[in-house]
Amino acid sequence: MKRRDFIIGTGAAALTAASYGNILGANDKIGIAVVGAGRRGRWVLGEMLKTNQVKPIIFCDVWDQQVRRTIDYLELGEVPMTYDLEEVLKNDRVDAILLATPDHLHKGYAIRILAAGKHLLLEKPVTLHYKEGDALKQAVANSGVVCQTGTQQRSGQMYQRVKEEFFGGSKKLGDIVFVRAVWSNFGWQRRQLEQQPMPQNFKWDMFLGPAPKTDYYWPRYDGWRHYKEYGTGILSDLLTHWGDVAQWMMEDTDPLNAVTTGGIYHLKDDRTNPDTVNTIIQYKAGWNFTFECSVMPIVNPHDSVLFHGTEGKLELFRSGYIYTPHKGDQVVFENNENLTYAHVKNFFDAIKTGAKLTAPISVGLNAVKPSHLAAASYWSGKRMEFNANQTEIIEVL
């Protein structure tokens, strides 16, 4: 009996990660498909391969050259590709899927992948629009498979230790009043792109997906983060990460309202997303989170989240942290852990052994709440808040 036949015969929605692990076998390699073979997909697949736990089965993308670049970069030899997600979902050799498409395709693709009984690593942000969250949450609940979301700091040992040492009731920082995050200097999003002829074997309509239909325009594909129809740029790419860290440490996933200012101050092309933003978000537990970001070459000593407390401060960044108590010596810690590697390993452990996920769908959906709130404020030019049951974002009256 084929492994996939067994899954279908028993009902994919009924399977747990542990039961599926029994089918797969602890030493079996996980058959992986990559949907979205661009820069992020390429990088994450590379980290997956380092674990020696996966075998690439098939790629799915809107452009064959994107797949070819990934295959050549990772020296994979020959791996088939398709433009049709359904071909991936019907492939019995595919156990899990890395979904690394542009943001506007996340919800629809993810729901189809989960319904097919494939384990899913869903890159962040998990949703482009706030209201997409409920359908995605329900799809995960109905699937019976593992769904890891892409906030990789959740798998970092340093972050886990910091959470326990500084925020686990120790009160080392005293009462925390302000949390400030900075992250700038993104050359990839600074690119000013020009129209070029449509490449051969490029599927423009497939790229558009559920987004508004428009004529082919190369910058909208190659620089999709510049346009609000496909992503929210720095407000989703970066605020999602640092917002997640702040909420995790503070044990508060209830942003109340946000005010955001910024604009296209420097990059005068036809992009719609801002190149520079500042946002302030108020939280239910009584603290303010500020986020400052620009794609421009502003170099900070550390791109970090800084927790200001009445007894000291903690600056937390991916390569370490600096703890400065009001009384006593400063502590500097250096971190060399590869967060993406740790994150995909946790994903595979969950599939094979039923290990606890570090970033399940609940984490992914909470991580985008501050981003959605900040973006709503930016586009409306008003202070925005969640309504009483948090089903929608409305103007503060």
Side-chain angles (χ1 to χ4, degrees):
M1 179 183 291
K2 293 181 180 179
R3 177 170 56 206
R4 182 64 186 157
D5 292 338
F6 181 87
I7 295 172
I8 294 172
T10 56
L15 286 173
T16 64
S19 63
Y20 186 76
N22 293 334
I23 301 167
L24 190 61
N27 296 319
D28 288 346
K29 287 198 174 183
I30 297 167
I32 194 79
V34 178
V35 179
R39 293 171 69 248
R40 183 61 186 168
R42 189 176 309 140
W43 171 258
V44 177
L45 178 60
E47 298 306 309
M48 287 180 165
L49 292 168
K50 291 177 184 178
T51 70
N52 198 34
Q53 294 188 61
V54 298
K55 178 177 177 58
I57 302 298
I58 191 169
F59 288 94
C60 182
D61 201 273
V62 303
W63 189 24
D64 61 351
Q65 287 304 304
Q66 198 73 280
V67 173
R68 175 47 57 190
R69 289 171 184 169
T70 295
I71 288 174
D72 290 347
Y73 178 77
L74 297 174
E75 300 180 346
L76 297 177
E78 291 302 320
V79 180
M81 77 153 290
T82 180
Y83 297 102
D84 185 2
L85 178 62
E86 201 59 33
E87 186 176 342
V88 176
L89 302 182
K90 290 179 178 178
N91 191 317
D92 291 342
R93 299 172 62 209
V94 173
D95 302 305
I97 294 176
L98 165 61
L99 181 56
T101 62
D103 301 350
H104 69 294
L105 299 173
H106 281 183
K107 176 206 157 190
Y109 280 24
I111 288 174
R112 291 172 63 189
I113 290 167
L114 293 163
K118 306 290 189 181
H119 300 297
L120 173 63
L121 198 161
L122 173 57
E123 274 299 309
K124 62 89 198 140
V126 294
T127 58
L128 176 60
H129 304 292
Y130 180 67
K131 288 188 175 182
E132 297 174 340
D134 284 345
L136 192 52
K137 182 179 180 180
Q138 193 60 50
V140 174
N142 292 340
S143 71
V145 296
V146 173
C147 179
Q148 176 86 298
T149 62
T151 50
Q152 63 264 32
Q153 58 273 351
R154 290 279 179 156
S155 294
Q157 293 182 16
M158 179 192 72
Y159 285 88
Q160 294 166 6
R161 185 167 71 83
V162 164
K163 168 67 174 171
E164 181 178 353
E165 181 178 350
F166 291 94
F167 299 90
S170 71
K171 300 293 285 186
K172 272 185 153 183
L173 299 175
D175 296 321
I176 298 174
V177 180
F178 297 118
V179 182
R180 297 190 177 106
V182 295
W183 201 345
S184 294
N185 190 23
F186 286 86
W188 193 251
Q189 291 193 40
R190 278 200 302 275
R191 295 176 305 145
Q192 295 187 283
L193 303 166
E194 296 181 358
Q195 175 70 315
Q196 66 180 50
M198 184 185 293
Q200 187 177 10
N201 300 325
F202 175 74
K203 308 299 183 183
W204 172 249
D205 287 341
M206 181 180 170
F207 162 74
L208 289 178
K213 303 305 177 187
T214 185
D215 291 339
Y216 164 76
Y217 183 56
W218 177 255
R220 283 182 171 265
Y221 166 73
D222 197 18
W224 61 266
R225 287 179 174 85
H226 301 174
Y227 301 92
K228 66 178 181 178
E229 292 89 351
Y230 321 117
T232 50
I234 52 182
L235 286 173
S236 57
D237 285 3
L238 306 174
L239 177 52
T240 300
H241 276 307
W242 277 169
D244 175 55
V245 170
Q247 292 183 156
W248 179 21
M249 299 301 160
M250 297 296 290
E251 296 184 358
D252 185 359
T253 57
D254 291 314
L256 296 178
N257 59 74
V259 59
T260 306
T261 189
I264 304 169
Y265 294 155
H266 305 280
L267 303 177
K268 305 298 185 179
D269 49 22
D270 69 342
R271 72 184 63 209
T272 54
N273 284 328
D275 61 36
T276 303
V277 293
N278 291 75
T279 188
I280 304 174
I281 305 173
Q282 181 185 12
Y283 275 81
K284 185 176 181 179
W287 55 285
N288 288 346
F289 175 65
T290 65
F291 175 74
E292 175 184 291
C293 182
S294 178
V295 303
M296 302 304 289
I298 298 172
V299 179
N300 301 303
H302 302 104
D303 295 311
S304 65
V305 187
L306 180 61
F307 298 87
H308 275 282
T310 55
E311 299 295 329
K313 64 181 180 180
L314 175 71
E315 186 177 13
L316 180 59
F317 38 95
R318 287 186 167 174
S319 60
Y321 67 78
I322 301 172
Y323 167 52
T324 309
H326 289 177
K327 297 179 181 179
D329 297 330
Q330 186 180 77
V331 176
V332 179
F333 179 83
E334 294 185 2
N335 179 48
N336 296 316
E337 185 177 17
N338 184 323
L339 295 177
T340 302
Y341 178 90
H343 205 51
V344 300
K345 187 176 184 305
N346 174 252
F347 177 51
F348 299 150
D349 288 346
I351 292 172
K352 286 193 168 186
T353 70
K356 183 179 179 180
L357 281 174
T358 56
I361 191 62
S362 57
V363 166
L365 291 173
N366 283 329
V368 295
K369 287 170 72 174
S371 301
H372 286 318
L373 199 57
S377 175
Y378 175 79
W379 289 111
S380 68
K382 302 178 184 298
R383 181 183 293 271
M384 302 296 284
E385 66 180 357
F386 288 109
N387 64 352
N389 57 5
Q390 295 208 328
T391 57
E392 59 181 317
I393 298 172
I394 60 175
E395 180 182 345
V396 174
L397 300 177

